[in-house]
Amino acid sequence: ILDMSDQKFILYYRKFIKNPLLARKQFAIEMIHPDMANVSKAQIKGKLATMMKAKEEAISIYGLKSKFGGGRSTGFALVYDNVDLRKKYDSKCLLRRDGMWNKEKGPTRKQKKEIKGRVKRVHGVMKAKAAMAGGKKK
């Protein structure tokens, strides 16, 4: 079993932009990793956190692509001013990937269609009661 912590890679960033409206710094990242197949997002976050003096939770990484032939990768990173601002502005899929956002459980697609059918069949104040009612008893 290989320990990935001793593996070295070089990380540098290009196209650096400060975005004060979204309270973040955004840039393209490039890695050189000749002895590794690829670099994990956790390792990239760790290195970026020390470079940017930010918390790892406030960093969002996406769009990683390996170059043909290996040894080099590119991607994008967003470094938010703090974790709360990341939760406010970052996309839901990136937050869910990092375990910072859970989707609220509501009625399923089939349940929504059944409710719509029940509501269509009644008029007036009965619509609310039909929407709240459960399925048919067998």
Side-chain angles (χ1 to χ4, degrees):
I1 298 171
L2 290 171
D3 184 24
M4 296 304 279
S5 62
D6 65 346
Q7 299 277 347
K8 299 281 188 241
F9 67 97
I10 299 165
L11 183 137
Y12 55 97
Y13 56 88
R14 304 181 321 113
K15 300 180 181 176
F16 182 89
I17 297 171
K18 265 189 182 170
N19 191 338
L21 292 175
L22 294 175
R24 70 186 184 195
K25 301 174 198 91
Q26 52 197 52
F27 43 86
I29 54 175
E30 293 189 3
M31 284 86 55
I32 301 172
H33 46 92
D35 299 333
M36 302 166 70
N38 54 20
V39 186
S40 71
K41 287 187 176 124
Q43 288 176 310
I44 297 169
K45 278 186 186 183
K47 203 158 211 178
L48 274 177
T50 55
M51 286 169 71
M52 295 288 171
K53 298 179 181 75
K55 290 185 177 176
E56 287 188 28
E57 298 86 42
I59 298 173
S60 179
I61 295 168
Y62 62 98
L64 293 177
K65 293 180 181 174
S66 299
K67 297 278 187 194
F68 179 73
R72 283 178 170 261
S73 298
T74 59
F76 299 96
L78 307 171
V79 179
Y80 287 88
D81 294 346
N82 58 45
V83 180
D84 293 331
L85 288 169
R86 178 178 176 198
K87 287 181 181 176
K88 184 177 178 183
Y89 293 122
D90 206 2
S91 66
K92 301 290 186 275
C93 63
L94 294 176
L95 288 171
R96 189 170 51 238
R97 183 189 290 164
D98 289 340
M100 299 174 84
W101 185 77
N102 291 323
K103 187 177 180 183
E104 299 89 29
K105 297 287 183 193
T108 62
R109 181 179 167 93
K110 184 171 169 102
Q111 288 170 336
K112 285 180 191 172
K113 290 181 178 210
E114 288 171 353
I115 289 168
K116 181 183 159 201
R118 283 197 305 269
V119 169
K120 270 173 39 175
R121 285 193 287 272
V122 295
H123 294 286
V125 292
M126 296 297 287
K127 284 189 183 286
K129 195 181 287 185
M132 297 302 293
K136 291 182 182 175
K137 302 276 190 284
K138 290 183 179 179

